[in-house]
Amino acid sequence: MMLFSRVRGLTVLAPGDAGRVGVVRALTVGGAPWRVTSVRIARGRLRRDAVVPWSTLGVAGPDLLIARSGGGPGSAPAGHELVGSRVLTECGEERGTVLDAAFDPVTARIEGVLTTSGELPSDRLLGLGDHALVVRTGARRPPG
Protein backbone atom coordinates (compact mmCIF):
# COMPACT_ATOMS: atom_id res chain seq x y z
CA MET A 1 0.00 0.00 0.00
CA MET A 2 0.99 3.59 -0.58
CA LEU A 3 -0.33 6.74 1.01
CA PHE A 4 -1.16 9.82 -1.02
CA SER A 5 0.92 11.83 1.45
CA ARG A 6 3.98 9.67 0.63
CA VAL A 7 3.55 10.12 -3.14
CA ARG A 8 3.15 13.89 -3.10
CA GLY A 9 6.57 15.44 -3.49
CA LEU A 10 8.16 12.40 -5.17
CA THR A 11 10.48 13.07 -8.09
CA VAL A 12 9.30 11.82 -11.49
CA LEU A 13 12.03 10.84 -13.95
CA ALA A 14 11.72 10.33 -17.69
CA PRO A 15 12.64 6.88 -19.02
CA GLY A 16 16.29 6.17 -19.76
CA ASP A 17 18.61 9.07 -19.17
CA ALA A 18 16.16 11.78 -20.25
CA GLY A 19 16.23 13.43 -16.81
CA ARG A 20 13.77 14.82 -14.34
CA VAL A 21 10.16 15.48 -15.40
CA GLY A 22 9.12 17.17 -12.16
CA VAL A 23 7.62 16.52 -8.75
CA VAL A 24 4.22 14.99 -7.89
CA ARG A 25 1.88 17.77 -6.80
CA ALA A 26 -1.37 15.79 -6.46
CA LEU A 27 -3.17 12.55 -7.27
CA THR A 28 -6.54 12.52 -9.00
CA VAL A 29 -9.22 9.92 -8.23
CA GLY A 30 -12.07 8.50 -10.28
CA GLY A 31 -14.92 6.51 -8.79
CA ALA A 32 -16.67 3.19 -9.28
CA PRO A 33 -14.23 1.48 -9.13
CA TRP A 34 -12.31 3.87 -6.89
CA ARG A 35 -8.84 4.30 -8.38
CA VAL A 36 -6.04 6.79 -8.77
CA THR A 37 -6.56 7.96 -12.34
CA SER A 38 -3.85 10.55 -12.85
CA VAL A 39 -0.98 12.49 -11.36
CA ARG A 40 -0.41 16.24 -11.52
CA ILE A 41 3.32 16.92 -11.89
CA ALA A 42 4.84 20.30 -11.10
CA ARG A 43 7.46 20.92 -13.77
CA GLY A 44 9.02 24.14 -12.52
CA ARG A 45 8.24 27.75 -11.79
CA LEU A 46 7.65 28.95 -15.33
CA ARG A 47 6.11 25.77 -16.75
CA ARG A 48 2.55 24.53 -16.43
CA ASP A 49 1.83 21.37 -14.46
CA ALA A 50 1.58 18.16 -16.47
CA VAL A 51 -1.31 15.76 -15.87
CA VAL A 52 -0.52 12.15 -16.81
CA PRO A 53 -2.35 8.85 -16.25
CA TRP A 54 -1.18 6.84 -13.23
CA SER A 55 -0.81 3.85 -15.57
CA THR A 56 2.08 5.62 -17.35
CA LEU A 57 4.14 5.80 -14.14
CA GLY A 58 6.13 3.08 -12.46
CA VAL A 59 7.25 3.00 -8.84
CA ALA A 60 11.03 2.85 -8.84
CA GLY A 61 11.58 2.99 -5.11
CA PRO A 62 10.33 4.69 -1.98
CA ASP A 63 11.21 8.15 -3.27
CA LEU A 64 11.02 7.95 -7.05
CA LEU A 65 8.57 7.42 -9.93
CA ILE A 66 9.54 6.68 -13.53
CA ALA A 67 7.44 7.93 -16.44
CA ARG A 68 6.81 5.26 -19.07
CA SER A 69 5.98 6.10 -22.67
CA GLY A 70 2.42 6.10 -23.89
CA GLY A 71 0.77 8.87 -21.93
CA GLY A 72 1.63 12.49 -22.32
CA PRO A 73 0.18 15.56 -20.67
CA GLY A 74 -3.50 16.00 -21.40
CA SER A 75 -4.19 12.29 -22.01
CA ALA A 76 -5.18 11.55 -18.41
CA PRO A 77 -8.68 10.33 -17.52
CA ALA A 78 -10.98 12.71 -15.69
CA GLY A 79 -11.02 12.71 -11.91
CA HIS A 80 -10.97 14.89 -8.80
CA GLU A 81 -8.46 15.53 -6.07
CA LEU A 82 -9.45 13.58 -2.95
CA VAL A 83 -7.17 15.03 -0.27
CA GLY A 84 -8.63 18.21 1.18
CA SER A 85 -12.20 17.41 0.08
CA ARG A 86 -15.10 17.91 2.48
CA VAL A 87 -16.79 14.67 3.52
CA LEU A 88 -20.60 14.52 3.45
CA THR A 89 -22.95 11.60 4.04
CA GLU A 90 -25.60 10.75 1.49
CA CYS A 91 -27.99 12.61 3.84
CA GLY A 92 -25.88 15.78 3.64
CA GLU A 93 -24.30 15.56 7.11
CA GLU A 94 -20.80 17.01 7.43
CA ARG A 95 -18.21 14.35 8.37
CA GLY A 96 -14.95 16.28 8.27
CA THR A 97 -12.25 16.57 5.64
CA VAL A 98 -10.09 14.04 3.78
CA LEU A 99 -6.55 14.00 5.20
CA ASP A 100 -5.01 11.09 3.27
CA ALA A 101 -5.83 7.89 1.37
CA ALA A 102 -4.21 4.48 0.91
CA PHE A 103 -4.01 2.79 -2.48
CA ASP A 104 -2.41 -0.18 -4.21
CA PRO A 105 0.33 1.24 -6.49
CA VAL A 106 0.02 -1.66 -8.95
CA THR A 107 -3.75 -1.62 -9.49
CA ALA A 108 -4.24 2.03 -8.37
CA ARG A 109 -7.26 0.82 -6.34
CA ILE A 110 -8.21 2.99 -3.35
CA GLU A 111 -8.18 0.85 -0.21
CA GLY A 112 -9.26 3.41 2.38
CA VAL A 113 -9.57 7.10 3.21
CA LEU A 114 -8.40 8.87 6.35
CA THR A 115 -10.60 11.79 7.40
CA THR A 116 -10.66 14.16 10.34
CA SER A 117 -13.49 11.95 11.67
CA GLY A 118 -11.67 8.62 11.26
CA GLU A 119 -10.97 5.99 8.61
CA LEU A 120 -13.37 4.95 5.85
CA PRO A 121 -13.07 1.76 3.81
CA SER A 122 -13.46 2.22 0.05
CA ASP A 123 -16.85 0.41 0.01
CA ARG A 124 -18.34 3.41 1.87
CA LEU A 125 -17.39 5.87 -0.91
CA LEU A 126 -20.30 6.94 -3.11
CA GLY A 127 -19.17 9.95 -5.12
CA LEU A 128 -16.50 12.61 -5.47
CA GLY A 129 -16.90 15.96 -7.12
CA ASP A 130 -15.55 19.48 -6.88
CA HIS A 131 -17.72 20.14 -3.82
CA ALA A 132 -17.20 17.06 -1.62
CA LEU A 133 -16.66 13.34 -1.14
CA VAL A 134 -20.02 11.67 -0.49
CA VAL A 135 -20.00 8.58 1.72
CA ARG A 136 -22.47 5.93 2.85
CA THR A 137 -23.43 6.42 6.52
CA GLY A 138 -23.32 2.79 7.58
CA ALA A 139 -21.77 -0.50 6.57
CA ARG A 140 -22.38 -1.67 3.03
CA ARG A 141 -25.78 -3.27 2.58
CA PRO A 142 -25.92 -6.79 1.19
CA PRO A 143 -27.30 -7.02 -2.37
CA GLY A 144 -30.94 -7.83 -2.38
Side-chain angles (χ1 to χ4, degrees):
M1 289 299 131
M2 289 185 87
L3 294 174
F4 278 41
S5 59
R6 295 287 215 168
V7 176
R8 280 191 321 231
L10 289 183
T11 298
V12 179
L13 297 179
D17 293 329
R20 184 176 182 262
V21 175
V23 175
V24 175
R25 184 181 299 257
L27 298 173
T28 304
V29 173
W34 291 94
R35 298 193 186 293
V36 174
T37 55
S38 60
V39 178
R40 190 161 40 102
I41 302 170
R43 298 189 300 170
R45 285 182 134 179
L46 302 176
R47 298 181 71 189
R48 293 176 51 126
D49 288 357
V51 178
V52 298
W54 175 261
S55 61
T56 64
L57 298 176
V59 177
D63 58 352
L64 191 63
L65 296 174
I66 301 287
R68 293 181 238 156
S69 59
S75 63
H80 296 279
E81 289 185 28
L82 182 61
V83 175
S85 295
R86 291 176 54 204
V87 180
L88 300 174
T89 68
E90 73 266 29
C91 300
E93 297 169 358
E94 186 89 30
R95 291 288 167 96
T97 304
V98 175
L99 298 173
D100 210 343
F103 72 104
D104 181 325
V106 175
T107 64
R109 183 174 176 265
I110 302 294
E111 299 293 332
V113 176
L114 177 62
T115 74
T116 53
S117 298
E119 294 181 36
L120 294 170
S122 62
D123 66 353
R124 299 258 316 267
L125 309 180
L126 292 174
L128 175 64
D130 292 333
H131 180 66
L133 171 66
V134 179
V135 299
R136 193 175 280 109
T137 53
R140 186 176 196 151
R141 296 181 194 133

